[in-house]
Amino acid sequence: MERIFNIQMMVPLGRRIGTLSFKTSGGQDIDGTLSLFQNETPFKGKLTPAGEIAFSGRMITLTRTFPYQALGRVDGTKIKLEVVGDDSRFNVFGEEADL
């Protein structure tokens, strides 16, 4: 089952709007894509039955590309993450899209 979230990331220059989607691929493993800064990048991670989510990938912004780690929680239709990478820390929050 694919889950798609409309997200907002708070960055020094303001709020960035995007989407985060993932599919569960057996057990707790997830494969997904993060669409931000007009780029779509893949990620891999885990989602526990309790809603704890962790994944990593490469983020492409308008000025740089860097590896990141995301940790957070999926609570019903809401998601909240802290994204850490390249000496930066960003908060991401969002809500599941109605399909």
Side-chain angles (χ1 to χ4, degrees), residues 29-96:
D29 294 336
I30 57 172
D31 291 297
T33 56
L34 177 65
S35 298
L36 271 172
F37 305 106
Q38 302 172 359
N39 293 292
E40 185 173 282
T41 56
F43 65 80
K44 290 188 178 293
K46 299 215 177 276
L47 175 63
T48 70
E52 300 294 324
I53 188 168
F55 59 88
S56 60
R58 294 188 70 73
M59 188 170 297
I60 301 171
T61 70
L62 301 175
T63 58
R64 60 194 173 126
T65 300
F66 59 92
Y68 71 88
Q69 296 277 332
L71 295 170
R73 181 161 194 78
V74 177
D75 190 8
T77 61
K78 298 190 183 303
I79 191 166
K80 187 173 182 182
L81 301 165
E82 182 176 59
V83 176
V84 179
D86 200 25
D87 298 325
S88 300
R89 207 173 274 275
F90 306 106
N91 290 315
V92 175
F93 56 93
E95 194 154 341
E96 197 159 7

Side-chain angles (χ1 to χ4, degrees), residues 1 8 12-13 15 19-20 24-25 42 67 71 75 85:
M1 176 176 109
Q8 298 180 43
L13 296 175
R15 183 186 328 246
T19 60
L20 181 144
T24 305
S25 58
L71 295 170
D75 190 8

